[in-house]
Amino acid sequence: MSRPTLRFAPSPNGRLHLGHAFSALTNARIADDLGGRLLLRIEDIDLGRTRPEFVQGTFDDLAWLGLRFDGPVRRQSEHFSAYARACDALAARKLLYPCFCSRGRIAAAVAERAAVARDPDGAPLYPGTCRALSCNEVQARIEAGEPHTWRLDGAAALAAVTAPLVIRRFAPDGAEKTVPADPTRWGDAVIARRDVPTSYHLAVVWDDAEQGISHVVRGQDLEAATDLHVLLQHLLGLPSPAYHHHGLIRDETGDKLAKSKGSESLADLRASGVDPDAVRAMLGLA
Ligand code: GLU
């Protein structure tokens, strides 16, 4: 059997905070316990928010915490052509369709409905406006340069599934159990964004397979995404890792930490004289 392989996969659109430290250290601990390897992946598909100083800051913060990673660092922005090929393969099987709707247009379309069904992130489920556009219209709009995303046709995707869709969950002590996956909660999810030929969901499943990840350890905020990830793995013929979703570090108001909310960064803590052992202690990982 090959060696267990884990990854820590931050998005460099800000400096790391305690939530990232908890996730990275938990990955390292589980990798150690399983006698496995820990890889680092920089999830920089959001070209508008990624900044070189955040990438360097990520490396500095992880080194400061005392974390060492195996193998080369993978950067998603260097693999757009692979994601585009995966997208093309799904589109060729009619599992994706181009969608020209803006967020505002979707909000307006669902506002007319009595009850709005939402995905696990709280966004309204896509009402299907572009699902049945004629080939001529699609071609004309693409040729006219109209921006579009590519969405999974959820019903077509489920019809293409040939085995029960399941999530393999594992506990930090290694015990595994299998639970059914329900990708319908995401409706027709965006698989490729307007600006790049992927979304988080496609890039993450592609890279987990490419890097030979056997165990995914990440926060509970990504637990629901796993239902969609196992569907994409099935459709693309990729192996499905085992998943562990750890609890989140929250601020004093009970909210999860976020760069966008100005949560204190590891760099701030370090500048104020906190050392890595104190960070571990704060996180209950001493
Ligand atoms: N890049 C994601 C984040 O920073 C994590 C992705 C994952 O672990 O699947 O939230």
Side-chain angles (χ1 to χ4, degrees):
M1 228 180 78
S2 52
R3 211 168 151 207
T5 303
L6 288 77
R7 71 349 184 240
F8 176 57
S11 304
N13 44 32
R15 290 300 294 258
L16 301 187
H17 52 59
L18 281 173
H20 296 106
F22 182 72
S23 197
L25 291 165
T26 301
N27 261 287
R29 177 169 287 193
I30 295 177
D32 259 6
D33 290 348
L34 297 176
R37 307 185 298 152
L38 178 58
L39 310 183
L40 178 61
R41 181 163 80 224
I42 300 294
E43 300 212 322
D44 54 352
I45 62 165
D46 193 335
L47 301 177
R49 290 169 72 207
T50 291
R51 295 227 295 264
E53 59 270 33
F54 295 147
V55 177
Q56 189 54 49
T58 296
F59 295 147
D60 295 346
D61 293 341
L62 294 171
W64 176 70
L65 282 173
L67 288 164
R68 301 282 171 273
F69 293 88
D70 299 294
V73 177
R74 184 174 174 91
R75 289 188 62 152
Q76 292 190 322
S77 58
E78 292 169 1
H79 299 280
F80 285 134
S81 55
Y83 309 139
R85 280 197 300 278
C87 243
D88 286 347
L90 293 174
R93 290 162 63 196
K94 304 248 179 301
L95 300 177
L96 302 186
Y97 61 88
C99 171
F100 302 92
C101 296
S102 62
R103 273 204 197 120
R105 185 144 163 223
I106 297 170
V110 300
E112 291 161 16
R113 302 188 170 191
V116 178
R118 293 183 181 273
D119 73 20
D121 285 344
L125 286 187
Y126 182 62
T129 321
C130 290
R131 197 185 298 126
L133 296 180
S134 71
C135 293
N136 282 345
E137 178 169 356
V138 166
Q139 195 184 347
R141 289 172 79 167
I142 291 179
E143 276 171 10
E146 199 175 325
H148 55 281
T149 60
W150 286 86
R151 286 184 183 273
L152 190 69
D153 183 329
L158 279 187
V161 167
T162 52
L165 275 185
V166 293
I167 300 170
R168 281 165 50 222
R169 283 202 191 137
F170 78 99
D173 66 6
E176 257 192 56
K177 74 170 179 188
T178 297
V179 295
D182 177 18
T184 59
R185 58 207 301 218
W186 292 97
D188 287 359
V190 172
I191 300 302
R193 297 158 37 139
R194 287 165 177 236
D195 53 341
V196 290
T198 186
S199 62
Y200 156 65
H201 302 297
L202 178 64
V204 84
V205 300
W206 186 264
D207 284 358
D208 282 341
E210 199 63 34
Q211 291 187 288
I213 303 302
S214 59
H215 294 73
V216 170
V217 174
R218 60 185 179 191
Q220 266 162 4
D221 52 341
L222 293 170
E223 182 154 14
T226 312
D227 294 74
L228 181 56
H229 295 176
V230 295
L231 173 60
L232 289 174
Q233 285 152 358
H234 184 88
L235 296 174
L236 291 164
L238 303 174
S240 192
Y243 290 87
H244 170 65
H245 293 97
H246 58 69
L248 300 177
I249 303 297
R250 299 187 180 274
D251 64 18
E252 38 313 318
T253 65
D255 279 350
K256 73 171 190 176
L257 303 182
K259 298 159 201 165
S260 54
K261 285 187 298 183
S263 298
E264 196 172 33
S265 67
L266 296 178
D268 297 334
L269 289 170
R270 180 182 181 179
S272 65
V274 174
D275 69 21
D277 286 341
V279 169
R280 283 187 157 76
M282 279 180 206
L283 296 171
L285 293 171

